[in-house]
Amino acid sequence: MSPRDNILPHAALVPRHVAVVMDGNGRWARQRFMPRFFGHKAGVDALVRAVNAFADRGVQVLSVFAFSSENWKRPDEEVSGLMSLVLVAVSKYLTKLARDGVRIRIVGDRSAVSDKLRQAWEQAEAMTANNTRITLAVAFNYGGRWDVVQAARRCVADGLEPERIDERALSERMALAFAPDPDLFIRTGGEMRISNFLLWQSAYAEFVFTDCLWPDFGEREIDAALAAFAQRDRRFGAIRPPEVAMAGSA
Ligand code: IPE
Ligand code: IPE
Ligand code: MG
């Protein structure tokens, strides 16, 4: 029996794909009278713990917002700190994540990042390509609007006639085409907004917002978010079938 046999209440109640806006690193550091970078570093540690905890609970894909298209607006020092943190994180954690059965995928516009960073991403993807326990999709230099635009451009580049450009054609060309749409969308840090994360893919995601700052987001918060998800009544625009409604009220 694997550890998750104890935890899974009912497979259908567990989201297949969880998307997370990992927000609040800067405030976490400020509470400790430390520079923002200290919070980002703690954020990486929290991510490595979270991916294992989600995997133990049966989640198949965890996508995390690590750097948004808009985060370039931050001071140069913070931007370059975040870039170098990726290199540090890869050298510190790649072997562990590979051993833990995590498949790493990077989503976002790679054209704007340094060669060194691109190589680190390629190494992380190549080293974990055969892993199947959980997929960790790291959104870096990613924006939901960028994703829609790049998918539309690819439709044109592929020579699709206008009438063949439909939801499926776009979905197949979105950055997360390899994953099902997120079932559960979590944002830490207290803000209640999407901030241009998975706009297209989150059409029917269930949202959980928590005040917990990302570096503090641990198993307790993960269980609370998954419990909230299990309580939701997902209808996808339909009405509940009567037998389900009856069973629910019994
Ligand atoms: C989220 O934490 C991480 C990134 C955007 C890279 P923030 O840096 O936004 O932390 P707060 O929101 O200022 O606390
Ligand atoms: C969203 O957080 C981006 C990431 C977590 C990478 P922000 O802190 O950048 O979002 P806003 O500016 O509060 O909307
Ligand atoms: Mg923030």
Side-chain angles (χ1 to χ4, degrees):
M1 197 165 94
S2 80
R4 75 186 204 214
D5 289 328
N6 286 328
I7 301 162
L8 273 181
H10 185 297
L13 299 178
V14 177
R16 281 193 299 173
H17 176 179
V18 177
V20 184
V21 177
M22 308 184 291
D23 197 21
N25 294 347
R27 280 162 286 168
W28 186 90
R30 193 169 62 215
Q31 284 175 353
R32 287 157 181 79
F33 307 100
M34 295 295 279
R36 294 176 60 83
F37 185 72
F38 183 70
H40 294 315
K41 249 172 70 182
V44 173
D45 301 337
L47 173 58
V48 173
R49 291 192 301 268
V51 70
N52 275 296
F54 278 115
D56 282 344
R57 286 154 180 79
V59 171
Q60 296 163 19
V61 180
L62 176 68
S63 58
V64 296
F65 210 7
F67 190 87
S68 77
S69 314
E70 289 74 33
N71 286 145
W72 295 103
K73 295 177 193 164
R74 296 189 179 201
D76 290 349
E77 189 190 310
E78 178 159 354
V79 170
S80 57
L82 285 165
M83 300 292 159
S84 59
L85 183 59
V86 174
L87 300 174
V88 173
V90 168
S91 69
K92 187 172 170 193
Y93 283 120
L94 180 55
T95 313
K96 174 182 163 45
L97 290 170
R99 218 180 26 229
D100 290 344
V102 179
R103 175 168 194 183
I104 299 175
R105 309 281 301 246
I106 314 303
V107 295
D109 182 358
R110 296 188 197 203
S111 65
V113 305
S114 70
D115 290 344
K116 234 174 156 178
L117 199 53
R118 250 195 310 275
Q119 282 158 14
W121 288 145
E122 282 161 17
Q123 187 198 1
E125 289 183 327
M127 214 172 129
T128 62
N130 296 321
N131 283 345
T132 55
R133 181 166 161 248
I134 189 170
T135 296
L136 172 66
V138 180
F140 198 92
N141 195 21
Y142 177 89
R145 289 178 173 181
W146 164 82
D147 202 0
V148 175
V149 169
Q150 68 82 23
R153 284 184 175 162
R154 285 173 60 189
C155 287
V156 174
D158 291 344
L160 260 64
E161 295 300 323
E163 59 276 13
R164 287 189 54 213
I165 299 180
D166 53 15
E167 292 186 15
R168 187 164 165 195
L170 282 163
S171 287
E172 286 171 354
R173 289 166 178 81
M174 304 289 287
L176 274 173
F178 57 85
D181 282 345
D183 303 293
L184 172 61
F185 184 116
I186 301 172
R187 182 174 184 139
T188 62
E191 313 295 351
M192 290 190 237
R193 54 180 174 250
I194 301 178
S195 297
N196 198 18
F197 194 27
L198 301 170
L199 297 180
W200 172 275
Q201 298 87 342
S202 299
Y204 269 102
E206 296 295 329
F207 284 77
V208 168
F209 296 101
T210 166
D211 288 336
C212 177
L213 303 174
W214 174 252
D216 290 329
F217 190 79
E219 300 210 3
R220 201 160 45 117
E221 289 75 22
I222 288 171
D223 286 332
L226 292 176
F229 175 82
Q231 296 293 320
R232 302 284 173 90
D233 178 18
R234 302 185 82 194
R235 291 187 293 276
F236 300 97
I239 55 169
R240 283 212 288 172
E243 63 277 19
V244 176
M246 295 283 285
S249 62

